[in-house]
Amino acid sequence: MLILSLLLLSACGQSNSESAKIEEGKVNVITSFYPVYAFTTAIGGEDANVINLLPTGVEPHDWTPKSQDIVNTSKAQLFLYNGAGLEGWVPNFLKSLNSDTQVKSVAVSDGVSLLTAEGDDGHNHGEEHEDEHAEEETGTEDVADHHIDPHTWVSPKSAIVMAENIKNSLVEVDPDHQDGYEQRYEELRTKLEALDQRFTDELSKVSNKEIVVSHQAFGYLARDYGLTQHAIMGLSPDAEPTGQDIVNLSKLVKEEGIKYIFFEELVSDKLAKTLAGEAGVETMVLNPVEGLTKEQAANGDDYFTLMEKNLQNLLIALK
């Protein structure tokens, strides 16, 4: 467990493609954003050189790759991205790689039962509904205005699926180090399962189940732990709510006795504070763990510390 903890801490000061270099003699893995990077670093250990595309402190919905990212990925053995429509730039990015590249690309959310969310996110990040599981989750056949919710990693249950996909991908491209990958994956899975159990146990005790969030990023968390999410904005944190949306949410907050409006650090909290002021309630952080702020990286935060803080804030808000 000590090795895993050190690896997860090293994943906080994430290596990005502006400064990192391809290493000879190791499997080189390019990851699209923080959660995939953190899990890959934990499982890859000393056997993998992991380079994260997204710099620290950058929100992933509007980020696009640079020329150096194309160069590094063309030379790598593995490119791991979330999928489910999060990285709208991936298809063109893969077409831009060198023609002789041997890199294997994997969407690590494969196997997660996907949810849909209403409306277009405005940035082509939520793929139009194509998944039969997602239709089952919405309980409706009318999905023309629904897009896949890409925020799979925010639920520990989904994160377990993603970690296994990452482990399998590493083993496939680097079978010589399979034992190390398997061992470190088991350590990571044990931590994720313990986190999942804490969310299950603690959230089953709260009587209130309604949460109001700034960005519609908590659908998987809500589904897996019996909560209902109401979002000020859509799948993209840059989506703009109408005045009527704010009025309707304010009414809901008052009717349900909701005490806190959740916001996140990597995007503006202006709308959350506007709604909180309108409804006469307070604001609090609920982190979608899309990336670390520079302060969090400096403090040694990681996926687990941020998710534990999320749990504590949910318990405060829902008591």
Side-chain angles (χ1 to χ4, degrees):
M1 292 301 290
L2 176 60
I3 293 175
L4 178 64
S5 298
L6 290 172
L7 290 168
L8 285 167
L9 284 172
S10 73
C12 299
Q14 46 189 305
S15 168
N16 68 65
S17 58
E18 294 177 4
S19 57
K21 296 181 180 179
I22 296 295
E23 291 187 17
E24 297 295 331
K26 279 190 177 182
V27 60
N28 289 277
V29 186
I30 309 296
T31 59
S32 62
F33 79 132
Y34 175 71
V36 180
Y37 174 81
F39 298 157
T40 304
T41 303
I43 298 168
E46 67 273 13
D47 298 319
N49 177 42
V50 187
I51 300 173
N52 195 42
L53 294 182
L54 199 72
T56 301
V58 175
E59 207 284 330
H61 286 78
D62 287 326
W63 179 86
T64 53
K66 311 295 187 295
S67 58
Q68 187 60 46
D69 301 326
I70 295 172
V71 171
N72 281 342
T73 305
S74 295
K75 296 177 180 178
Q77 287 72 52
L78 195 57
F79 170 54
L80 300 177
Y81 63 104
N82 187 76
L86 178 73
E87 305 96 336
W89 46 266
V90 162
N92 288 335
F93 179 72
L94 294 177
K95 291 176 185 176
S96 301
L97 300 181
N98 294 346
S99 58
D100 61 348
T101 183
Q102 299 296 308
V103 69
K104 176 181 174 60
S105 61
V106 177
V108 301
S109 64
D110 283 354
V112 175
S113 180
L114 298 176
L115 292 169
T116 59
E118 292 183 7
D120 191 344
D121 70 358
H123 295 281
N124 194 33
H125 293 110
E127 295 173 359
E128 290 197 7
H129 169 79
E130 295 177 350
D131 186 275
E132 62 182 10
H133 297 297
E135 183 172 333
E136 291 169 6
E137 296 291 349
T138 63
T140 176
E141 295 180 1
D142 181 15
V143 294
D145 293 327
H146 288 74
H147 287 69
I148 292 174
D149 181 347
H151 303 90
T152 52
W153 64 92
V154 188
S155 167
K157 290 185 188 298
S158 299
I160 293 168
V161 176
M162 295 167 65
E164 184 174 13
N165 287 336
I166 291 168
K167 180 263 295 182
N168 290 341
S169 301
L170 285 165
V171 169
E172 184 173 345
V173 300
D174 185 26
D176 290 345
H177 295 106
Q178 178 172 354
D179 289 348
Y181 297 140
E182 294 280 1
Q183 178 185 343
R184 291 184 291 266
Y185 160 70
E186 290 297 334
E187 293 179 7
L188 177 60
R189 188 182 71 174
T190 297
K191 287 195 71 173
L192 287 169
E193 287 175 344
L195 184 66
D196 168 44
Q197 194 62 53
R198 278 182 50 72
F199 269 81
T200 299
D201 293 344
E202 297 296 329
L203 292 176
S204 67
K205 300 172 185 176
V206 300
S207 55
N208 298 324
K209 302 292 184 181
E210 311 279 335
I211 60 172
V212 177
V213 299
S214 60
H215 166 204
Q216 194 170 343
F218 302 94
Y220 295 92
L221 186 75
R223 176 189 68 183
D224 292 342
Y225 304 103
L227 306 178
T228 299
Q229 166 188 238
H230 303 280
I232 303 172
M233 295 169 277
L235 291 173
S236 166
D238 295 329
E240 288 289 340
T242 66
Q244 190 59 47
D245 291 335
I246 296 293
V247 170
N248 291 342
L249 275 172
S250 178
K251 182 181 178 182
L252 171 78
V253 167
K254 292 173 182 175
E255 288 177 348
E256 296 291 337
I258 292 169
K259 301 172 184 175
Y260 293 90
I261 308 297
F262 287 112
F263 70 96
E264 57 197 72
E265 290 110 325
L266 290 180
V267 296
S268 171
D269 63 354
K270 181 179 177 181
L271 282 168
K273 287 187 173 178
T274 298
L275 177 56
E278 178 78 20
V281 298
E282 298 181 59
T283 58
M284 184 185 293
V285 170
L286 193 63
N287 196 319
V289 202
E290 294 176 338
L292 300 178
T293 65
K294 291 180 180 180
E295 182 180 1
Q296 287 166 344
N299 289 341
D301 279 315
D302 63 16
Y303 177 86
F304 290 95
T305 65
L306 296 184
M307 288 297 292
E308 286 284 358
K309 184 63 174 177
N310 278 347
L311 178 56
Q312 295 310 312
N313 285 354
L314 283 168
L315 293 174
I316 291 169
L318 296 173
K319 67 181 180 182

